[in-house]
Amino acid sequence: MPLARSRSKAPLPVPPGRRRARRAGLTALPAFLLSIALTGLALEPATPLAGYGRQSWAMENGLPQNTVHALAQTPDGFLWLGTEAGLVRFDGNSFTIYDPNTTPAIPSGDIRCLLAGPEGSLWVGTGDGLVRFKDGVVTTYGTKNGLPDGSIRALGEGSQGMLWVYTDTGLARQTGSRFEAAGSWRPGAVIPQVTSQGESRSLVNSTPLAGVGWRQAAARAGLRQDDVSFLARLGADAYALASNNRLVLVSSGRVTGRFTAGNELPGGRIQALYADREGSLWVGTNNGLARIIAGTVQKLPVTDPLASSSILSLLEDREGNLWVGTETSGLDILRDERFRGIGARDGLSSDATTTVVQDVAGTMWVGTSSGGLNAFKWPAPGPVRPKIYTVSNGLMSDVILALAPAPDGDLWVGTPDGLNLIHRGVISSFTSADGLPDDFVRSLLVDSDGSLWIGTRRGLTHWTDAPAGRHMQTYTHANGLGSDLVGAMTRDAHGGLWVATLAGLSRLSSDRIINYTVADGLSSNVITALLAPGDGTLMIGTQDHGWTFWDGRKFSPVRHDRIDQASIHAILEDGGNHLWFATDDGIARCDRNSAPDFSGWLQFGPADGLRSRKTATNSHPSAWRSRDGLLWFATPKGLEVVSPAHFPVNTLPPPVAIERFSVDDVDQHLNGGDASLRVPAGHFHFQFDYAGLSFVAPQKVRYRYMLVGFDHRWTEAGARRTAYYTNIPPGRYTFRVQAANNDGLWNTTGASLRFELRPHFYQTVWFYILLALACAGLVVLLLRLRLLRAEREFSAVLAERSRIAREIHDTLAQGYVGISVQLEVLAELLRHNKADAAARQLDVTRGHVREGLADARQSIWALRSQDSGEKTLPVHLRRATERAGGNGLEASFNVYGAYRSMPPDAERELLRVAQEAIHNVKKHARASHLHVQLEYGQSEVVLEVRDDGRGFAPGATPGSPPGHYGLTGMRERAAVIGANLQVSSEPGRGTTVRLSMPAPKEPRE
């Protein structure tokens, strides 16, 4: 990296560079500038035809201060400026300021010198210490780190990357993370530097690394070493040495030039010296900028602001642009212009040019829309001094619509009011009175045989001269022409004449006319431009539908997203590999050898030096290729001239930088893009600001970006330098951005930023696993609950079936047994012919049947309403006891305590237990006495059924034999109402069934 230094009383050198300087020069006067422009040496180092595009920035554009002491460009592509109000970073569109307010680590806002390190660091010399920028980290060095003084004057880089620091009190060199004194240094003496690109950046004075070549050159020039304030190397053994006011060029030990400020050089003091990579020498003085090339000093015109500015610093960037830092006017850039304009200020009668041709003598003829016709010699030995033809000279109109040079040197001129012929300076006129179908002449074509084709609004006329006299033949729509309104014309390699009309394309061959329209493959029927290269193909420009290619057999519309809707006004080939187009959006170029796709389409506009995006319309030809290979385009703001052979193409893909990453409008610290940023959960809005660092035409830089992990394809952003994302899910992402320079060359590596959006706890994998387990557990629980419910329902059904079985057993079955016994008695009585007893027994049997029927109805009612009826439990028990008496069994019933209503289910179950017990006594006990007792106590209700029957052995488990369910049913009923059932018996001493249950707390009303 070149040496960087600050400005003191004795001006100090500044960094090197400037490639495109070979293509342009600075001149003393505009006329001299134009005279060089109008030579055939297009775009040679001394030729300013390509010119310079100028742009300036000052405080009103964002600079903190207009004094620019130092300039540097870091490997990442950023341009850095040192001002008296802070360090400034520039990306071509906006400035970022670093000063003690925004960056407290910077000790002073007085930035004196800059040095960009090859590893990406930036060294900044201030009035109060040294600062190093690297990957967003700012490190400060001062006297505590070994520097002799905090006031930094200059920075230099020696062999093996050693940093040398020049302070007010001495010289220091870097050793690791510290500095050590390396001798004295007188401010104002030369600070060693090499300012030619590609040379070793070694120190050449006041250090052990000093070289001797420049010292010998100084001796040859008659300069003392202490007088040398600026040094630049122009070649292997060529130097430029300067004191405050003298500049000497030395080559191979020989003085080749001497220049003095105030005489050959502008101003009175040299303040900056710069050798670009092509060997041109730039000199900045206190009163303007000059350029020395081949021993000749070129100055800026007096009207140029830099011609009188105090120049403090110079820098050539990686693309060859020249940056100029001034003392009071801020920052300027000089860019190569691809196009040069020639207009009224250069001598033409009007800027509104319409058509341009060159005749066989080399004269350029330029028609205008109101200023008549201009003619000037080309190449011209001096300034352009066009001869102007107007109606006062014999033209039919000052509006020129068409031009056609003839092989004999004549020129045909078409106007809205007729046709003119210029023959050896004499103008002849022709109108419809002379046989033209219309006075409005839109296009002209001189054929190889010298005949003239004339396109008008009312048809196409072929004018031939024969010995017998003038002959005109007119073709119109009536005799086969596509339309009466005729535009561009051209003759192809096979002899066919192609004619553009408003209704398609017509081809005349041997008086036979063939018409082509969109039905035949044309992109539009309105044809505006034609070009027949001579190889049998045809280029066809249309209005609002781009252009179509004819390969000799078929038409193929050229599809491209930037030209499908364009209007093509003229088409040229440059004799090389490109086609050039005059469009309604500037001048364009594409690859000639890439048919039929014609890739490599480039569009040029004001950013490339064009004065206007519009080109001339409705005139033919509006573009021309001169014999020296230059291309001329007519526009409403003058002629645009370009040399395809020396057309500067930007072959450097632009570095891309991500300048800002904000989350919910809060800027995140960027760690050089190496480490992944972690963004806490709960953020939604993400903004990325990026820049493609190309300074040739920043407004033409194009971008595309992708958020890897979210996007599936690139987003074409055009010139937009910001990307937004909202509500992206948590995860790891990489934001990638690529940029293309002004010529469409993409940096496919681009820049990237990795970050991670942390999830909420409910967005983590563990949460989803736990949620899945919880859902599985819930499903299991629901299945379990459903199973339990099914089990309960099954148990309820089973209980209901058991209850019904008990009901049937305790009511209907017992009734049927009783009826069966009565019927057997009745049968015995009838068998013994005891009619009276049988009648009585029949009445008793009918009573049992009625009681059984009543019991059945009661059971059915209990199944439907879960109610036993209106009779109370004591009443039911008394009746059941009374029915059991007879046939040798004495039955009695007693109630003790105050009656308290119990739940219907409880009373029903008590009744059924009592009925079962009574039934067992009658059927199995063979007892003579039965006693049923119901006792309502304070805390419990007790039912007791006793008999004096045969009983059963103690210790035997009372149960029901197979087919009998009495005792089992009694236990089940007791369990249903939560009662305690006890059965006690002794053989021969009867059985007691005792059931007890908690009494209700309150009597039921």
Side-chain angles (χ1 to χ4, degrees), residues 187-212:
V190 65
I191 295 178
Q193 74 173 14
V194 176
T195 60
S196 61
Q197 296 293 330
E199 295 286 344
S200 171
R201 299 176 300 169
S202 62
L203 300 176
V204 292
N205 184 44
S206 304
T207 76
L209 302 175
V212 295

PDB file of all heavy atoms in Angstrom, residues 187-212:
ATOM      1  N   PRO A 187      10.231  17.500   9.602  1.00  0.00           N
ATOM      2  CA  PRO A 187       8.989  17.751   8.875  1.00  0.00           C
ATOM      3  C   PRO A 187       9.232  18.632   7.664  1.00  0.00           C
ATOM      4  O   PRO A 187       9.903  19.654   7.746  1.00  0.00           O
ATOM      5  CB  PRO A 187       8.109  18.432   9.917  1.00  0.00           C
ATOM      6  CG  PRO A 187       8.657  17.989  11.223  1.00  0.00           C
ATOM      7  CD  PRO A 187      10.139  17.867  11.020  1.00  0.00           C
ATOM      8  N   GLY A 188       8.730  18.200   6.531  1.00  0.00           N
ATOM      9  CA  GLY A 188       8.946  18.918   5.299  1.00  0.00           C
ATOM     10  C   GLY A 188       9.899  18.190   4.387  1.00  0.00           C
ATOM     11  O   GLY A 188       9.888  18.378   3.179  1.00  0.00           O
ATOM     12  N   ALA A 189      10.761  17.345   4.975  1.00  0.00           N
ATOM     13  CA  ALA A 189      11.636  16.540   4.135  1.00  0.00           C
ATOM     14  C   ALA A 189      10.835  15.430   3.478  1.00  0.00           C
ATOM     15  O   ALA A 189       9.733  15.100   3.899  1.00  0.00           O
ATOM     16  CB  ALA A 189      12.765  15.958   4.972  1.00  0.00           C
ATOM     17  N   VAL A 190      11.416  14.860   2.428  1.00  0.00           N
ATOM     18  CA  VAL A 190      10.670  13.860   1.683  1.00  0.00           C
ATOM     19  C   VAL A 190      10.318  12.672   2.571  1.00  0.00           C
ATOM     20  O   VAL A 190      11.112  12.210   3.373  1.00  0.00           O
ATOM     21  CB  VAL A 190      11.471  13.404   0.446  1.00  0.00           C
ATOM     22  CG1 VAL A 190      12.732  12.687   0.843  1.00  0.00           C
ATOM     23  CG2 VAL A 190      10.622  12.477  -0.412  1.00  0.00           C
ATOM     24  N   ILE A 191       9.111  12.223   2.426  1.00  0.00           N
ATOM     25  CA  ILE A 191       8.687  10.973   3.049  1.00  0.00           C
ATOM     26  C   ILE A 191       8.737   9.917   1.949  1.00  0.00           C
ATOM     27  O   ILE A 191       8.047  10.039   0.946  1.00  0.00           O
ATOM     28  CB  ILE A 191       7.278  11.084   3.635  1.00  0.00           C
ATOM     29  CG1 ILE A 191       7.287  12.093   4.776  1.00  0.00           C
ATOM     30  CG2 ILE A 191       6.793   9.740   4.100  1.00  0.00           C
ATOM     31  CD1 ILE A 191       5.936  12.307   5.380  1.00  0.00           C
ATOM     32  N   PRO A 192       9.577   8.933   2.090  1.00  0.00           N
ATOM     33  CA  PRO A 192       9.801   7.996   0.981  1.00  0.00           C
ATOM     34  C   PRO A 192       8.539   7.253   0.582  1.00  0.00           C
ATOM     35  O   PRO A 192       7.812   6.754   1.421  1.00  0.00           O
ATOM     36  CB  PRO A 192      10.845   7.038   1.535  1.00  0.00           C
ATOM     37  CG  PRO A 192      10.699   7.133   3.007  1.00  0.00           C
ATOM     38  CD  PRO A 192      10.311   8.548   3.292  1.00  0.00           C
ATOM     39  N   GLN A 193       8.302   7.210  -0.706  1.00  0.00           N
ATOM     40  CA  GLN A 193       7.182   6.446  -1.212  1.00  0.00           C
ATOM     41  C   GLN A 193       7.413   6.127  -2.671  1.00  0.00           C
ATOM     42  O   GLN A 193       8.192   6.789  -3.350  1.00  0.00           O
ATOM     43  CB  GLN A 193       5.865   7.202  -1.055  1.00  0.00           C
ATOM     44  CG  GLN A 193       5.696   8.357  -2.029  1.00  0.00           C
ATOM     45  CD  GLN A 193       4.315   8.949  -1.939  1.00  0.00           C
ATOM     46  OE1 GLN A 193       3.587   8.673  -1.002  1.00  0.00           O
ATOM     47  NE2 GLN A 193       3.940   9.750  -2.902  1.00  0.00           N
ATOM     48  N   VAL A 194       6.756   5.083  -3.126  1.00  0.00           N
ATOM     49  CA  VAL A 194       6.787   4.721  -4.529  1.00  0.00           C
ATOM     50  C   VAL A 194       5.362   4.804  -5.025  1.00  0.00           C
ATOM     51  O   VAL A 194       4.480   4.137  -4.501  1.00  0.00           O
ATOM     52  CB  VAL A 194       7.358   3.296  -4.734  1.00  0.00           C
ATOM     53  CG1 VAL A 194       7.289   2.922  -6.202  1.00  0.00           C
ATOM     54  CG2 VAL A 194       8.778   3.246  -4.237  1.00  0.00           C
ATOM     55  N   THR A 195       5.092   5.627  -6.022  1.00  0.00           N
ATOM     56  CA  THR A 195       3.720   5.898  -6.417  1.00  0.00           C
ATOM     57  C   THR A 195       3.357   5.318  -7.769  1.00  0.00           C
ATOM     58  O   THR A 195       2.496   5.819  -8.446  1.00  0.00           O
ATOM     59  CB  THR A 195       3.465   7.414  -6.434  1.00  0.00           C
ATOM     60  OG1 THR A 195       4.368   8.006  -7.386  1.00  0.00           O
ATOM     61  CG2 THR A 195       3.696   8.020  -5.077  1.00  0.00           C
ATOM     62  N   SER A 196       4.034   4.276  -8.195  1.00  0.00           N
ATOM     63  CA  SER A 196       3.621   3.584  -9.416  1.00  0.00           C
ATOM     64  C   SER A 196       3.066   2.225  -9.050  1.00  0.00           C
ATOM     65  O   SER A 196       3.625   1.530  -8.215  1.00  0.00           O
ATOM     66  CB  SER A 196       4.799   3.435 -10.378  1.00  0.00           C
ATOM     67  OG  SER A 196       5.826   2.668  -9.792  1.00  0.00           O
ATOM     68  N   GLN A 197       1.971   1.866  -9.659  1.00  0.00           N
ATOM     69  CA  GLN A 197       1.304   0.616  -9.340  1.00  0.00           C
ATOM     70  C   GLN A 197       2.175  -0.573  -9.721  1.00  0.00           C
ATOM     71  O   GLN A 197       2.886  -0.564 -10.721  1.00  0.00           O
ATOM     72  CB  GLN A 197      -0.038   0.533 -10.069  1.00  0.00           C
ATOM     73  CG  GLN A 197      -1.028   1.585  -9.635  1.00  0.00           C
ATOM     74  CD  GLN A 197      -1.492   1.382  -8.211  1.00  0.00           C
ATOM     75  OE1 GLN A 197      -1.550   0.268  -7.730  1.00  0.00           O
ATOM     76  NE2 GLN A 197      -1.811   2.467  -7.526  1.00  0.00           N
ATOM     77  N   GLY A 198       2.140  -1.600  -8.911  1.00  0.00           N
ATOM     78  CA  GLY A 198       2.853  -2.836  -9.197  1.00  0.00           C
ATOM     79  C   GLY A 198       4.287  -2.829  -8.723  1.00  0.00           C
ATOM     80  O   GLY A 198       4.966  -3.845  -8.780  1.00  0.00           O
ATOM     81  N   GLU A 199       4.805  -1.676  -8.252  1.00  0.00           N
ATOM     82  CA  GLU A 199       6.164  -1.633  -7.757  1.00  0.00           C
ATOM     83  C   GLU A 199       6.194  -2.010  -6.277  1.00  0.00           C
ATOM     84  O   GLU A 199       5.193  -1.954  -5.580  1.00  0.00           O
ATOM     85  CB  GLU A 199       6.743  -0.220  -7.941  1.00  0.00           C
ATOM     86  CG  GLU A 199       6.885   0.200  -9.399  1.00  0.00           C
ATOM     87  CD  GLU A 199       8.032  -0.502 -10.086  1.00  0.00           C
ATOM     88  OE1 GLU A 199       8.876  -1.066  -9.376  1.00  0.00           O
ATOM     89  OE2 GLU A 199       8.067  -0.515 -11.328  1.00  0.00           O
ATOM     90  N   SER A 200       7.390  -2.356  -5.810  1.00  0.00           N
ATOM     91  CA  SER A 200       7.556  -2.656  -4.390  1.00  0.00           C
ATOM     92  C   SER A 200       7.316  -1.404  -3.578  1.00  0.00           C
ATOM     93  O   SER A 200       7.830  -0.335  -3.902  1.00  0.00           O
ATOM     94  CB  SER A 200       8.966  -3.182  -4.129  1.00  0.00           C
ATOM     95  OG  SER A 200       9.211  -3.272  -2.743  1.00  0.00           O
ATOM     96  N   ARG A 201       6.558  -1.531  -2.539  1.00  0.00           N
ATOM     97  CA  ARG A 201       6.242  -0.370  -1.706  1.00  0.00           C
ATOM     98  C   ARG A 201       7.299  -0.232  -0.609  1.00  0.00           C
ATOM     99  O   ARG A 201       7.048  -0.479   0.560  1.00  0.00           O
ATOM    100  CB  ARG A 201       4.854  -0.532  -1.093  1.00  0.00           C
ATOM    101  CG  ARG A 201       3.770  -0.626  -2.149  1.00  0.00           C
ATOM    102  CD  ARG A 201       2.438  -0.868  -1.526  1.00  0.00           C
ATOM    103  NE  ARG A 201       2.451  -2.127  -0.779  1.00  0.00           N
ATOM    104  CZ  ARG A 201       1.483  -2.496   0.039  1.00  0.00           C
ATOM    105  NH1 ARG A 201       0.474  -1.723   0.247  1.00  0.00           N
ATOM    106  NH2 ARG A 201       1.552  -3.651   0.662  1.00  0.00           N
ATOM    107  N   SER A 202       8.497   0.121  -1.006  1.00  0.00           N
ATOM    108  CA  SER A 202       9.579   0.210  -0.041  1.00  0.00           C
ATOM    109  C   SER A 202       9.856   1.658   0.306  1.00  0.00           C
ATOM    110  O   SER A 202       9.595   2.569  -0.486  1.00  0.00           O
ATOM    111  CB  SER A 202      10.841  -0.431  -0.606  1.00  0.00           C
ATOM    112  OG  SER A 202      11.263   0.248  -1.763  1.00  0.00           O
ATOM    113  N   LEU A 203      10.380   1.881   1.481  1.00  0.00           N
ATOM    114  CA  LEU A 203      10.782   3.216   1.898  1.00  0.00           C
ATOM    115  C   LEU A 203      12.118   3.539   1.260  1.00  0.00           C
ATOM    116  O   LEU A 203      12.994   2.690   1.151  1.00  0.00           O
ATOM    117  CB  LEU A 203      10.890   3.267   3.423  1.00  0.00           C
ATOM    118  CG  LEU A 203       9.582   2.955   4.142  1.00  0.00           C
ATOM    119  CD1 LEU A 203       9.813   2.933   5.635  1.00  0.00           C
ATOM    120  CD2 LEU A 203       8.517   3.950   3.795  1.00  0.00           C
ATOM    121  N   VAL A 204      12.283   4.780   0.838  1.00  0.00           N
ATOM    122  CA  VAL A 204      13.504   5.125   0.118  1.00  0.00           C
ATOM    123  C   VAL A 204      14.221   6.329   0.719  1.00  0.00           C
ATOM    124  O   VAL A 204      15.014   6.962   0.058  1.00  0.00           O
ATOM    125  CB  VAL A 204      13.183   5.411  -1.370  1.00  0.00           C
ATOM    126  CG1 VAL A 204      12.763   4.145  -2.063  1.00  0.00           C
ATOM    127  CG2 VAL A 204      12.113   6.467  -1.507  1.00  0.00           C
ATOM    128  N   ASN A 205      13.970   6.615   1.962  1.00  0.00           N
ATOM    129  CA  ASN A 205      14.682   7.737   2.568  1.00  0.00           C
ATOM    130  C   ASN A 205      14.628   7.636   4.081  1.00  0.00           C
ATOM    131  O   ASN A 205      13.647   7.205   4.639  1.00  0.00           O
ATOM    132  CB  ASN A 205      14.048   9.068   2.126  1.00  0.00           C
ATOM    133  CG  ASN A 205      14.818  10.268   2.651  1.00  0.00           C
ATOM    134  OD1 ASN A 205      16.044  10.282   2.598  1.00  0.00           O
ATOM    135  ND2 ASN A 205      14.107  11.241   3.154  1.00  0.00           N
ATOM    136  N   SER A 206      15.681   8.045   4.713  1.00  0.00           N
ATOM    137  CA  SER A 206      15.724   8.194   6.163  1.00  0.00           C
ATOM    138  C   SER A 206      15.570   6.885   6.903  1.00  0.00           C
ATOM    139  O   SER A 206      15.287   6.895   8.099  1.00  0.00           O
ATOM    140  CB  SER A 206      14.653   9.183   6.640  1.00  0.00           C
ATOM    141  OG  SER A 206      14.822  10.428   5.986  1.00  0.00           O
ATOM    142  N   THR A 207      15.664   5.760   6.243  1.00  0.00           N
ATOM    143  CA  THR A 207      15.509   4.475   6.915  1.00  0.00           C
ATOM    144  C   THR A 207      16.577   3.523   6.413  1.00  0.00           C
ATOM    145  O   THR A 207      17.191   3.745   5.360  1.00  0.00           O
ATOM    146  CB  THR A 207      14.122   3.853   6.635  1.00  0.00           C
ATOM    147  OG1 THR A 207      14.145   3.334   5.315  1.00  0.00           O
ATOM    148  CG2 THR A 207      13.021   4.868   6.765  1.00  0.00           C
ATOM    149  N   PRO A 208      16.806   2.448   7.147  1.00  0.00           N
ATOM    150  CA  PRO A 208      17.778   1.455   6.660  1.00  0.00           C
ATOM    151  C   PRO A 208      17.398   0.844   5.326  1.00  0.00           C
ATOM    152  O   PRO A 208      18.222   0.231   4.662  1.00  0.00           O
ATOM    153  CB  PRO A 208      17.802   0.421   7.776  1.00  0.00           C
ATOM    154  CG  PRO A 208      17.337   1.162   8.989  1.00  0.00           C
ATOM    155  CD  PRO A 208      16.336   2.157   8.490  1.00  0.00           C
ATOM    156  N   LEU A 209      16.124   0.992   4.932  1.00  0.00           N
ATOM    157  CA  LEU A 209      15.670   0.407   3.672  1.00  0.00           C
ATOM    158  C   LEU A 209      15.838   1.375   2.508  1.00  0.00           C
ATOM    159  O   LEU A 209      15.341   1.137   1.425  1.00  0.00           O
ATOM    160  CB  LEU A 209      14.193  -0.003   3.786  1.00  0.00           C
ATOM    161  CG  LEU A 209      13.868  -1.001   4.901  1.00  0.00           C
ATOM    162  CD1 LEU A 209      12.370  -1.206   4.976  1.00  0.00           C
ATOM    163  CD2 LEU A 209      14.574  -2.315   4.657  1.00  0.00           C
ATOM    164  N   ALA A 210      16.501   2.508   2.756  1.00  0.00           N
ATOM    165  CA  ALA A 210      16.559   3.562   1.749  1.00  0.00           C
ATOM    166  C   ALA A 210      17.211   3.080   0.473  1.00  0.00           C
ATOM    167  O   ALA A 210      18.184   2.349   0.484  1.00  0.00           O
ATOM    168  CB  ALA A 210      17.311   4.761   2.300  1.00  0.00           C
ATOM    169  N   GLY A 211      16.638   3.549  -0.655  1.00  0.00           N
ATOM    170  CA  GLY A 211      17.254   3.293  -1.938  1.00  0.00           C
ATOM    171  C   GLY A 211      18.091   4.498  -2.351  1.00  0.00           C
ATOM    172  O   GLY A 211      18.095   5.535  -1.712  1.00  0.00           O
ATOM    173  N   VAL A 212      18.822   4.354  -3.447  1.00  0.00           N
ATOM    174  CA  VAL A 212      19.714   5.441  -3.862  1.00  0.00           C
ATOM    175  C   VAL A 212      19.338   6.006  -5.214  1.00  0.00           C
ATOM    176  O   VAL A 212      19.846   7.056  -5.617  1.00  0.00           O
ATOM    177  CB  VAL A 212      21.174   4.944  -3.905  1.00  0.00           C
ATOM    178  CG1 VAL A 212      21.643   4.586  -2.522  1.00  0.00           C
ATOM    179  CG2 VAL A 212      21.318   3.757  -4.859  1.00  0.00           C
TER     180      VAL A 212
END
